[in-house]
Amino acid sequence: MKITRGVLVLLISVIVIGLLGWLVAFLPASYPSYSSESPAQDGVKGVYRLFKERGVEVARWENHWGDLPDDQGHVLFIVAPEQFLIPETARDRLLRWVSRGNVVVLWADPADPMVTELGFIGESGDGKEKRARMEPVAAGWLKDVRSLYFPRDFRLSDYVELDDSWKDTDGIRRMGRLNTGKGSIYYIPDPEMITNRYIEQADNLALPLYFASLADTKVWFDEGVHKGALSVSGNREEDTPSSPWQLLSGEAWLLIFQGTGLFLLWLFWRGKRFAAPRQETVTEVRTSDEYIEAMGGLYQWAGLGRESLSIQLDGLLKEAAKHFGLPGNASRMDTIRWTRRFLGDEKARRLERLIEEVEQAPSKVKGRKLIRLSREIQEMREEIAEWKTAPSTQIT
């Protein structure tokens, strides 16, 4: 087949667009600071994943406080809300929710307005990081805390009355608690200490684990404070998009651009010119062998022969395991054994030989061998699928 200039341009365009799509898939998503969805250094996803790994029932709260769960026993983490003003109705809803028997844990800078609105006062220290030795406490995870690392050395003021506080050995308040009805509000004035960057410093891990142990129902990470959902109605004029186009992220626009480009290239390839369509007739039926040969040539040209065979073989084994009722992570030996049971020794030996040839194939497989192995994998896949639709009556 003679490669024309148009075909060459089309192939290069498809490869470039494919590479752009691959890069977009691996670009880090953009999240607000202190978000439980953010794996960045200023996110708190590490704590969220720690709770899940330890079996804590944890979830994200992305709505306004007026819809918080009606039952009791919940713990709500609010990390660095960064709001200049909290509506009074939203604060009252939150306090009523706490008084019903729930817990709020506020990690926020002393300058955050929410700190004073909930009854606390924080202050700055010398502004330098500090590893503070804490007074011994016998409550749950706190008994494992010997010292805590405070990146900015923020602390609670001594001029506010608290129901309880936890001090370091220098007598500085590091954590405070106010009781409201049947529930409580805890305040820690340095949100940096539970970020992904600092959570493993000193005994910082034990502190959020202690708060999680207070939950009888579920631990929530409030994402609404990072997405403008603090109000009771959840509607804030400054957070409402002025047009539908603002709802799309930069990655979404890039994907739309790629899709449009591929569509136009497809139209060009099909000979469409938007004003002079042509009548096309099918002159011949293309077989699967032709497709396999074309893909084999492309993989060989790209130097991905062995990788493509491994991917095809893994797909075959997964489909076989699914057809035979095996779990998705079934071993190859189990798949071969069940192939022998349902399809006979001959097909089991073919599958064994196929696995061996793919595993021992060189990194750059020659065209004929690549096409042959691809065809055999496809044939084996079709034979297994036929068994599923019409199983042998000789199997008991």
Side-chain angles (χ1 to χ4, degrees):
M1 174 181 173
K2 184 179 179 180
I3 300 179
T4 63
R5 182 178 179 182
V7 174
L8 184 61
V9 171
L10 178 63
L11 287 176
I12 294 175
S13 301
V14 170
I15 293 173
V16 170
I17 292 176
L19 288 174
L20 287 175
W22 182 80
L23 290 174
V24 169
F26 288 93
L27 285 176
S30 177
Y31 296 105
S33 299
Y34 305 102
S35 170
S36 62
E37 299 178 288
S38 173
Q41 289 188 334
D42 60 354
V44 296
K45 188 175 183 178
V47 176
Y48 186 90
R49 291 187 61 182
L50 173 68
F51 287 170
K52 295 193 71 172
E53 291 173 359
R54 289 185 172 271
V56 177
E57 192 171 354
V58 62
R60 296 183 175 94
W61 186 259
E62 298 181 339
N63 207 346
H64 47 82
W65 292 336
D67 290 334
L68 284 167
D70 294 330
D71 53 340
Q72 61 185 16
H74 296 273
V75 173
L76 177 65
F77 276 57
I78 303 176
V79 184
E82 299 179 356
Q83 298 294 326
F84 292 102
L85 179 63
I86 300 175
E88 184 177 355
T89 51
R91 184 195 60 192
D92 293 342
R93 290 287 184 91
L94 181 64
L95 293 177
R96 285 198 296 270
W97 181 76
V98 172
S99 65
R100 292 200 298 266
N102 298 293
V103 174
V104 166
V105 184
L106 175 63
W107 312 72
D109 292 350
D112 195 305
M114 189 173 180
V115 175
T116 56
E117 290 180 3
L118 293 182
F120 299 94
I121 298 178
E123 59 185 27
S124 302
D126 55 13
K128 299 180 181 179
E129 59 186 30
K130 182 174 183 180
R131 184 185 297 265
R133 294 191 60 83
M134 303 301 295
E135 293 180 344
V137 178
W141 282 95
L142 297 185
K143 68 178 183 296
D144 297 325
V145 176
R146 300 293 180 269
S147 63
L148 293 175
Y149 180 81
F150 298 93
R152 292 182 290 184
D153 195 27
F154 291 157
R155 70 277 305 273
L156 277 81
S157 173
D158 292 330
Y159 298 103
V160 60
E161 294 185 4
L162 301 172
D163 293 314
D164 191 17
S165 63
W166 191 21
K167 302 179 180 179
D168 59 23
T169 53
D170 294 330
I172 298 174
R173 287 177 169 180
R174 297 295 181 177
M175 183 181 77
R177 186 188 74 192
L178 288 174
N179 297 327
T180 302
K182 298 179 181 179
S184 302
I185 301 176
Y186 291 84
Y187 171 54
I188 300 90
D190 200 335
E192 290 285 337
M193 64 184 300
I194 65 163
T195 58
N196 302 327
R197 181 184 303 170
Y198 298 112
I199 188 59
E200 293 185 352
Q201 296 288 333
D203 299 317
N204 288 10
L205 272 175
L207 192 55
L209 286 172
Y210 166 72
F211 293 128
S213 68
L214 301 179
D216 296 326
T217 309
K218 185 178 288 189
V219 176
W220 298 92
F221 280 75
D222 193 344
E223 291 296 327
V225 295
H226 303 298
K227 299 179 180 179
L230 278 179
S231 65
V232 176
S233 62
N235 296 322
R236 300 203 316 169
E237 184 178 353
E238 61 270 23
D239 292 325
T240 303
S242 58
S243 68
W245 310 111
Q246 294 183 1
L247 297 174
L248 299 176
S249 62
E251 293 83 359
W253 278 113
L254 183 55
L255 290 175
I256 292 174
F257 170 76
Q258 292 174 354
T260 304
L262 285 173
F263 177 70
L264 293 176
L265 286 172
W266 177 80
L267 290 177
F268 180 82
W269 175 255
R270 299 293 296 174
K272 307 299 182 183
R273 296 297 181 269
F274 299 100
R278 66 184 183 185
Q279 185 69 26
E280 297 179 356
T281 57
V282 178
T283 57
E284 61 179 352
V285 178
R286 298 187 180 274
T287 63
S288 60
D289 289 344
E290 184 178 354
Y291 168 76
I292 291 174
E293 292 177 2
M295 293 304 297
L298 182 61
Y299 285 133
Q300 185 185 14
W301 173 77
L304 300 175
R306 184 176 180 180
E307 287 79 2
S308 67
L309 289 175
S310 298
I311 293 172
Q312 294 176 62
L313 180 62
D314 289 342
L316 168 64
L317 294 175
K318 289 181 180 179
E319 287 186 20
K322 181 179 179 181
H323 285 314
F324 297 151
L326 300 177
N329 58 352
S331 65
R332 294 184 173 183
M333 294 303 299
D334 288 340
T335 306
I336 293 172
R337 186 169 65 253
W338 283 83
T339 302
R340 179 174 290 107
R341 176 179 178 183
F342 289 110
L343 302 181
D345 292 335
E346 179 184 355
K347 289 185 174 56
R349 286 194 296 271
R350 281 177 54 197
L351 181 59
E352 271 186 293
R353 180 183 57 78
L354 199 57
I355 294 174
E356 183 178 356
E357 281 197 66
V358 172
E359 290 180 343
Q360 294 179 359
S363 58
K364 294 184 178 180
V365 186
K366 293 184 178 180
R368 291 184 179 180
K369 185 175 182 180
L370 175 62
I371 294 172
R372 178 179 62 81
L373 291 175
S374 296
R375 185 182 293 114
E376 291 183 10
I377 292 174
Q378 180 62 25
E379 290 174 356
M380 180 65 70
R381 189 194 306 267
E382 293 173 357
E383 291 173 4
I384 292 175
E386 289 176 0
W387 170 85
K388 184 62 178 178
T389 56
S392 174
T393 57
Q394 299 177 359
I395 302 299
T396 59

